Amino acid sequence: MISDTYLYKEIHGQPAALSRLIKNEKASIQKLARAILQRQVTHVVIAARGTSDNAARFAQYVLGAVNGLTVALATPSLFSIYGRPPKFGNALVLGISQSGKSPDIVAVLDEARQQKRLTAVFTNTPGSDLASTGDIVVDLNAGEERAVAATKTYTNSLAAVAMLSAELSGSAEGFAQLNRLPDVMVETLTMDPLIKEIAPRYRYMQHCVIIGRGFNYATAFEMALKMKELTYTIVEPYSSADFLHGPIALIESGFPVVIIAPSGILSAEMASFLTQVNERQAESIVISDVPDLLASARIPLALPKSVPEYLSPLTAILPGQLFSMYLAAARDYDVDSPRGLSKVTETR
Amino acid sequence: MISDTYLYKEIHGQPAALSRLIKNEKASIQKLARAILQRQVTHVVIAARGTSDNAARFAQYVLGAVNGLTVALATPSLFSIYGRPPKFGNALVLGISQSGKSPDIVAVLDEARQQKRLTAVFTNTPGSDLASTGDIVVDLNAGEERAVAATKTYTNSLAAVAMLSAELSGSAEGFAQLNRLPDVMVETLTMDPLIKEIAPRYRYMQHCVIIGRGFNYATAFEMALKMKELTYTIVEPYSSADFLHGPIALIESGFPVVIIAPSGILSAEMASFLTQVNERQAESIVISDVPDLLASARIPLALPKSVPEYLSPLTAILPGQLFSMYLAAARDYDVDSPRGLSKVTETR
């Protein structure tokens, strides 16, 4: 039974995990926000791999758009392999890692301490090597994650970023919106039977692209990563703008294109993009709460509830997780232990 | 005849284009380096799309490792669509664009001027909108590029970054190495008949991954983009470290994996990676000048000449360009005008 798997339980356990984080980590987030303001941090450098790197992509947009902070993704090999670390300037250096174990991420944070920069760590393992490098540690509070494919640590990493953003801007409304999110996630997860029904259509799909932009650029990357890990499909994520600068040449009749398009400023752009791929007879799969976009999709996956655009990555990823799980199941793959992966990956 | 196409001529015209750049733009690069030092720039933000974005990835490593500068890639939609631009701090804001036309890139540079930051533009079109936003403009001197897939503007963008790096560090040796590069490129392009012979083996290949790390992370992205544009293959680029954090689940017997591994600090890492994919019976295609790596490859593509690792992306991309061209030819595609692409892409 799929509902007996860790993955199923962890996907459906995300609303509770989020509630825990919001309840337990307000103090650490406040401490981090105070330190950022006190030290007049000018930009942020984030070190992360895999799923956590997708949370870093989300941070680029949220901390950029809401808090005016330029966010750079670190180049860990310059620290760990080349031994030629750049100067951070007056940056906050943030490590995000579920396990807190990857040596290359630890190397970036170690260097930040050497350079006497403010450091912070978001991790689900507060006793880890990485956590020991953080001036401030945010415990992701996701509970033990036993499926190899990360789900609840991802959404809680996004939420920790959103909490930091709300705290930095002193936005009571931001926290109110976050507090409503666990319920919205519960509603979004009612898409489960719809997605279970749709997934077998893609039993023999060999490849696809996933399009997202702005806040949901991260969602495109994370859904692509789940599909690769769980279903071994070749899936490439793109910003709609980057896709038009070359890769759109790939699209021919029947080519599957997933478009992540929750309502927001980007809706018009996404509608125009959808028109272009429809003209090329792509198989368009649209994850959205915008009626017009859903109406133009070959396969509409309707998000049951709207949320502010900057928080939509926390709900828009849920159908992507479910889709990956049910497609893996349709292919008779082990959803908890994909071939050749282990829960902790240590890279230099 | 393939040798009558623009693409062929432009690929083989890269050594001459590089010589022009080095000869004609020393002064503008010096001016830029002086401005960076005078204004005590602490980090760099680069706005670019497509091929130029891959040159930006190269800049992250070169300016980071050699010059100690943290380099962030801009999030153009925050400027152009959301209208929520982050603060640049004391950054150099650099736009890279062959055509100088994409409105989203212009929007980032416009905002940088508003914030009174130092701005620079690397473009092959010095009369463009984008060029008018640069305090300092470096003309890429590639000559008109008529094939839709960019080649000589890419290598000249890399070279402009390398010139800036050498100038910033006052390295006479750096310039001497650069001056030798056109000849090394000529030698590297003697791989043409070998690659012409190999390419048809991949006539029916539907997808592959391309692995590079460190300085050649950019090369993996750029080779992947050329293959997508020219051959419509699903190609995904990865750092070897990111690949091990999940996507390695994809690899099964016969799965094509291109490994970009010029000699350097990363050689040991790449050897270990090659062992792992060979254990999974991947079809390994290795672009390298390291005898041991080539000996372990299913298909070795030997770079005829070694160069310092930080400059190797200028030569390691050449077999990737040739491979993409000859594979497109093997599939009877138009190498100068891929379907659905135009030379100038304007995205918001």
mmCIF file of all heavy atoms in Angstrom, chain A residues 262-282:
data_model
loop_
_atom_site.group_PDB
_atom_site.id
_atom_site.type_symbol
_atom_site.label_atom_id
_atom_site.label_comp_id
_atom_site.label_asym_id
_atom_site.label_seq_id
_atom_site.Cartn_x
_atom_site.Cartn_y
_atom_site.Cartn_z
ATOM 1 N N PRO A 262 1.167 29.447 -10.212
ATOM 2 C CA PRO A 262 0.193 29.969 -9.248
ATOM 3 C C PRO A 262 -0.116 31.429 -9.573
ATOM 4 O O PRO A 262 0.704 32.102 -10.205
ATOM 5 C CB PRO A 262 0.933 29.866 -7.902
ATOM 6 C CG PRO A 262 2.054 28.914 -8.121
ATOM 7 C CD PRO A 262 2.433 29.062 -9.569
ATOM 8 N N SER A 263 -1.274 31.914 -9.148
ATOM 9 C CA SER A 263 -1.671 33.279 -9.482
ATOM 10 C C SER A 263 -0.685 34.285 -8.905
ATOM 11 O O SER A 263 -0.134 34.092 -7.825
ATOM 12 C CB SER A 263 -3.078 33.568 -8.959
ATOM 13 O OG SER A 263 -3.167 33.228 -7.586
ATOM 14 N N GLY A 264 -0.469 35.368 -9.666
ATOM 15 C CA GLY A 264 0.465 36.399 -9.230
ATOM 16 C C GLY A 264 0.887 37.258 -10.396
ATOM 17 O O GLY A 264 0.302 37.179 -11.487
ATOM 18 N N ILE A 265 1.923 38.038 -10.164
ATOM 19 C CA ILE A 265 2.376 38.989 -11.181
ATOM 20 C C ILE A 265 2.779 38.279 -12.466
ATOM 21 O O ILE A 265 2.683 38.825 -13.551
ATOM 22 C CB ILE A 265 3.566 39.808 -10.626
ATOM 23 C CG1 ILE A 265 3.075 40.695 -9.469
ATOM 24 C CG2 ILE A 265 4.218 40.651 -11.698
ATOM 25 C CD1 ILE A 265 4.162 41.516 -8.822
ATOM 26 N N LEU A 266 3.224 37.033 -12.347
ATOM 27 C CA LEU A 266 3.718 36.322 -13.524
ATOM 28 C C LEU A 266 2.619 35.678 -14.364
ATOM 29 O O LEU A 266 2.910 35.097 -15.408
ATOM 30 C CB LEU A 266 4.707 35.230 -13.101
ATOM 31 C CG LEU A 266 6.119 35.697 -12.769
ATOM 32 C CD1 LEU A 266 6.922 34.555 -12.166
ATOM 33 C CD2 LEU A 266 6.814 36.202 -14.037
ATOM 34 N N SER A 267 1.364 35.768 -13.931
ATOM 35 C CA SER A 267 0.311 35.014 -14.629
ATOM 36 C C SER A 267 0.228 35.344 -16.118
ATOM 37 O O SER A 267 0.059 34.453 -16.956
ATOM 38 C CB SER A 267 -1.050 35.256 -13.957
ATOM 39 O OG SER A 267 -1.030 34.751 -12.635
ATOM 40 N N ALA A 268 0.367 36.628 -16.470
ATOM 41 C CA ALA A 268 0.261 37.017 -17.882
ATOM 42 C C ALA A 268 1.401 36.389 -18.687
ATOM 43 O O ALA A 268 1.194 35.837 -19.782
ATOM 44 C CB ALA A 268 0.291 38.533 -18.019
ATOM 45 N N GLU A 269 2.600 36.459 -18.131
ATOM 46 C CA GLU A 269 3.772 35.859 -18.765
ATOM 47 C C GLU A 269 3.576 34.354 -18.982
ATOM 48 O O GLU A 269 3.897 33.802 -20.032
ATOM 49 C CB GLU A 269 4.978 36.117 -17.846
ATOM 50 C CG GLU A 269 6.135 35.187 -18.043
ATOM 51 C CD GLU A 269 7.376 35.915 -18.491
ATOM 52 O OE1 GLU A 269 7.297 37.144 -18.699
ATOM 53 O OE2 GLU A 269 8.399 35.252 -18.648
ATOM 54 N N MET A 270 3.022 33.701 -17.973
ATOM 55 C CA MET A 270 2.837 32.262 -18.074
ATOM 56 C C MET A 270 1.760 31.924 -19.106
ATOM 57 O O MET A 270 1.839 30.910 -19.803
ATOM 58 C CB MET A 270 2.492 31.678 -16.705
ATOM 59 C CG MET A 270 3.682 31.661 -15.765
ATOM 60 S SD MET A 270 5.043 30.640 -16.431
ATOM 61 C CE MET A 270 6.399 31.168 -15.425
ATOM 62 N N ALA A 271 0.735 32.781 -19.207
ATOM 63 C CA ALA A 271 -0.307 32.559 -20.215
ATOM 64 C C ALA A 271 0.294 32.652 -21.609
ATOM 65 O O ALA A 271 -0.003 31.834 -22.494
ATOM 66 C CB ALA A 271 -1.426 33.584 -20.039
ATOM 67 N N SER A 272 1.162 33.642 -21.819
ATOM 68 C CA SER A 272 1.786 33.804 -23.126
ATOM 69 C C SER A 272 2.708 32.608 -23.424
ATOM 70 O O SER A 272 2.745 32.092 -24.551
ATOM 71 C CB SER A 272 2.548 35.134 -23.147
ATOM 72 O OG SER A 272 3.734 35.033 -23.873
ATOM 73 N N PHE A 273 3.406 32.154 -22.405
ATOM 74 C CA PHE A 273 4.282 30.994 -22.582
ATOM 75 C C PHE A 273 3.469 29.752 -22.950
ATOM 76 O O PHE A 273 3.820 28.992 -23.859
ATOM 77 C CB PHE A 273 5.085 30.752 -21.299
ATOM 78 C CG PHE A 273 6.085 29.651 -21.431
ATOM 79 C CD1 PHE A 273 7.341 29.905 -21.957
ATOM 80 C CD2 PHE A 273 5.781 28.354 -21.059
ATOM 81 C CE1 PHE A 273 8.274 28.885 -22.109
ATOM 82 C CE2 PHE A 273 6.697 27.336 -21.207
ATOM 83 C CZ PHE A 273 7.951 27.603 -21.730
ATOM 84 N N LEU A 274 2.349 29.574 -22.238
ATOM 85 C CA LEU A 274 1.484 28.418 -22.495
ATOM 86 C C LEU A 274 0.973 28.442 -23.936
ATOM 87 O O LEU A 274 0.932 27.402 -24.619
ATOM 88 C CB LEU A 274 0.326 28.416 -21.488
ATOM 89 C CG LEU A 274 -0.712 27.316 -21.614
ATOM 90 C CD1 LEU A 274 -0.084 25.922 -21.544
ATOM 91 C CD2 LEU A 274 -1.782 27.448 -20.517
ATOM 92 N N THR A 275 0.610 29.631 -24.414
ATOM 93 C CA THR A 275 0.171 29.753 -25.805
ATOM 94 C C THR A 275 1.265 29.277 -26.753
ATOM 95 O O THR A 275 1.003 28.533 -27.705
ATOM 96 C CB THR A 275 -0.187 31.224 -26.113
ATOM 97 O OG1 THR A 275 -1.181 31.646 -25.183
ATOM 98 C CG2 THR A 275 -0.706 31.379 -27.535
ATOM 99 N N GLN A 276 2.490 29.677 -26.480
ATOM 100 C CA GLN A 276 3.593 29.288 -27.372
ATOM 101 C C GLN A 276 3.825 27.780 -27.393
ATOM 102 O O GLN A 276 4.062 27.205 -28.455
ATOM 103 C CB GLN A 276 4.887 30.006 -26.962
ATOM 104 C CG GLN A 276 4.860 31.494 -27.270
ATOM 105 C CD GLN A 276 6.198 32.159 -26.975
ATOM 106 O OE1 GLN A 276 7.207 31.839 -27.581
ATOM 107 N NE2 GLN A 276 6.207 33.081 -26.033
ATOM 108 N N VAL A 277 3.770 27.149 -26.229
ATOM 109 C CA VAL A 277 4.006 25.703 -26.254
ATOM 110 C C VAL A 277 2.788 24.963 -26.815
ATOM 111 O O VAL A 277 2.932 23.927 -27.459
ATOM 112 C CB VAL A 277 4.460 25.118 -24.889
ATOM 113 C CG1 VAL A 277 5.779 25.744 -24.447
ATOM 114 C CG2 VAL A 277 3.414 25.259 -23.817
ATOM 115 N N ASN A 278 1.592 25.509 -26.591
ATOM 116 C CA ASN A 278 0.407 24.892 -27.184
ATOM 117 C C ASN A 278 0.458 24.968 -28.710
ATOM 118 O O ASN A 278 0.049 24.026 -29.401
ATOM 119 C CB ASN A 278 -0.873 25.550 -26.664
ATOM 120 C CG ASN A 278 -1.281 25.011 -25.291
ATOM 121 O OD1 ASN A 278 -0.815 23.949 -24.857
ATOM 122 N ND2 ASN A 278 -2.148 25.734 -24.599
ATOM 123 N N GLU A 279 0.972 26.081 -29.232
ATOM 124 C CA GLU A 279 1.107 26.214 -30.696
ATOM 125 C C GLU A 279 2.015 25.126 -31.257
ATOM 126 O O GLU A 279 1.877 24.719 -32.405
ATOM 127 C CB GLU A 279 1.699 27.583 -31.050
ATOM 128 C CG GLU A 279 0.646 28.686 -31.118
ATOM 129 C CD GLU A 279 1.271 30.088 -31.111
ATOM 130 O OE1 GLU A 279 2.520 30.190 -31.159
ATOM 131 O OE2 GLU A 279 0.485 31.059 -31.036
ATOM 132 N N ARG A 280 2.964 24.686 -30.457
ATOM 133 C CA ARG A 280 3.858 23.616 -30.895
ATOM 134 C C ARG A 280 3.312 22.237 -30.522
ATOM 135 O O ARG A 280 4.039 21.251 -30.542
ATOM 136 C CB ARG A 280 5.234 23.816 -30.256
ATOM 137 C CG ARG A 280 5.967 25.029 -30.810
ATOM 138 C CD ARG A 280 7.079 25.486 -29.901
ATOM 139 N NE ARG A 280 7.543 26.802 -30.279
ATOM 140 C CZ ARG A 280 8.735 27.058 -30.834
ATOM 141 N NH1 ARG A 280 9.589 26.096 -31.029
ATOM 142 N NH2 ARG A 280 9.069 28.275 -31.173
ATOM 143 N N GLN A 281 2.034 22.200 -30.138
ATOM 144 C CA GLN A 281 1.369 20.922 -29.795
ATOM 145 C C GLN A 281 2.044 20.166 -28.660
ATOM 146 O O GLN A 281 2.052 18.931 -28.627
ATOM 147 C CB GLN A 281 1.283 20.000 -31.013
ATOM 148 C CG GLN A 281 0.100 20.272 -31.915
ATOM 149 C CD GLN A 281 0.481 21.171 -33.085
ATOM 150 O OE1 GLN A 281 1.484 20.966 -33.731
ATOM 151 N NE2 GLN A 281 -0.354 22.163 -33.337
ATOM 152 N N ALA A 282 2.645 20.912 -27.742
ATOM 153 C CA ALA A 282 3.190 20.254 -26.555
ATOM 154 C C ALA A 282 2.051 19.666 -25.737
ATOM 155 O O ALA A 282 0.898 20.066 -25.874
ATOM 156 C CB ALA A 282 3.962 21.266 -25.712
#
